[in-house]
Amino acid sequence: MAKETSSSPRWVKSSYSTENGGACVEWAPSNVTATGIVPVRDSKRTDDPVLMVSADAFAGLVRLARSTAL
């Protein structure tokens, strides 16, 4: 797991993620407030690259995930 520092974002796991290996995604809401950019990562692979999207793009991803269009 990546070592957290005072400059590291505070990660929040999706409410849909499970402890037994379910679709685990994390985001860093404190970073959004400071920069308008949403970091997103796989909580099972915290040392892998982080996807950085705008707040508007993230909101669109959330709307899509909640829709029945999937």
Side-chain angles (χ1 to χ4, degrees):
M1 180 178 220
K3 183 178 178 181
E4 187 166 327
T5 67
S6 60
S7 63
S8 298
R10 180 170 223 78
W11 294 98
V12 176
K13 190 179 287 192
S14 166
S15 61
Y16 290 94
S17 296
T18 62
E19 295 301 322
N20 62 354
C24 299
V25 63
E26 294 178 322
W27 69 298
S30 61
N31 195 73
V32 180
T33 304
T35 67
I37 301 296
V38 182
V40 181
R41 71 179 183 184
D42 182 339
S43 64
K44 297 180 302 291
R45 302 181 72 171
T46 59
D47 289 331
D48 281 2
V50 174
L51 177 66
M52 305 291 272
V53 298
S54 71
D56 288 340
F58 185 75
L61 290 170
V62 171
R63 280 191 301 274
L64 177 63
R66 289 180 174 167
S67 78
T68 58
L70 291 178

